Amino acid sequence: CKECGRLLGLSDFISALLPIIRGFAMWLQIVLDLLSTLFVLFFFWKYQVITFPDKGETTESGEPDKSRKITKKNGIIAVVVLILSCLFYGFFMKQEPEWITLLRFALMYAITFAAAGIDHMSQKIPNSLIGIGLIGGTAVLIIQLFENPGNRPEIALGSLAGLIGSLIFMWILALLTKHGIGYGDVKLFAVIGYLAGLRYAYGILFYAALFAAGYGGALLLLKKAKKQHKMAFAPFIFAGMYLVCAFAG
């Protein structure tokens, strides 16, 4: 840009594209729906939330079953994942988030959703999901630092405070509950704090604890579980994240 005497920055380029991006908001939402759905379903398949018949299995007639057809259960799970993704981005996009914010929360949504299903089935949260969240969050942070050179200290400190603050707070809760909250939940919340900041992380934790307490209390009242019953916490984290991000704004 010769008139202003400086090179056209990436932020200027993005600003020029914003009207076009808003015009294609529907297509952007569809892309995010599909990418999030595929991400979640891949991890569901990898950690056997969704299973397919092995080649060694046999049919009722005793012949080898070589089919890998989608079962009714798998189909229902896939449809539910897609519907939840469509609703989430439908509500979230109405808030007209900045593109960098959209990247952060789309990553957090997909990781939390995948963790919820895996934790529900196996009572564990894979380190691979935590690693993706940290690497993806760092990549987004680097982009944001280049985009906002005047606010680099505040942006970097905000992300680190979210990461460290959430990690320490959840670690203390894990000790106080005698590991009723597992270390997988601690690491997942550290990623949430890194991506969304402390304010969102604590809001998500509040609703997650509320949902978990309500569900656990209902099980006890209905005598469906004992006090020693262990519940996966990640599904409630996902529910809290969904409520805070999609509806609370």
Side-chain angles (χ1 to χ4, degrees), residues 90-97 200 244-249:
F91 286 111
F92 191 71
M93 293 291 281
K94 287 182 180 180
Q95 302 172 34
E96 297 184 356
Y200 272 98
V244 170
C245 298
F247 298 104

Side-chain angles (χ1 to χ4, degrees), residues 86-200:
C86 290
L87 290 174
F88 178 84
Y89 287 111
F91 286 111
F92 191 71
M93 293 291 281
K94 287 182 180 180
Q95 302 172 34
E96 297 184 356
E98 296 181 357
W99 68 278
I100 197 71
T101 303
L102 182 59
L103 284 180
R104 283 179 176 272
F105 281 81
L107 181 61
M108 182 178 67
Y109 168 80
I111 289 172
T112 309
F113 200 168
I118 297 168
D119 193 28
H120 173 69
M121 292 295 294
S122 62
Q123 299 284 310
K124 68 178 182 180
I125 298 175
N127 287 329
S128 56
L129 278 176
I130 305 301
I132 291 172
L134 293 175
I135 293 171
T138 301
V140 173
L141 175 61
I142 291 172
I143 294 173
Q144 195 170 9
L145 291 176
F146 275 106
E147 283 293 291
N148 301 274
N151 298 321
R152 286 176 181 173
E154 293 86 352
I155 293 172
L157 287 175
S159 294
L160 290 175
L163 172 66
I164 298 172
S166 298
L167 183 65
I168 293 174
F169 185 75
M170 288 298 292
W171 180 69
I172 293 173
L173 284 182
L175 294 179
L176 292 175
T177 58
K178 297 181 179 179
H179 304 294
I181 293 176
Y183 287 127
D185 303 316
V186 174
K187 291 182 285 187
L188 180 60
F189 251 101
V191 171
I192 290 174
Y194 190 40
L195 291 170
L198 277 176
R199 182 172 68 90
Y200 272 98

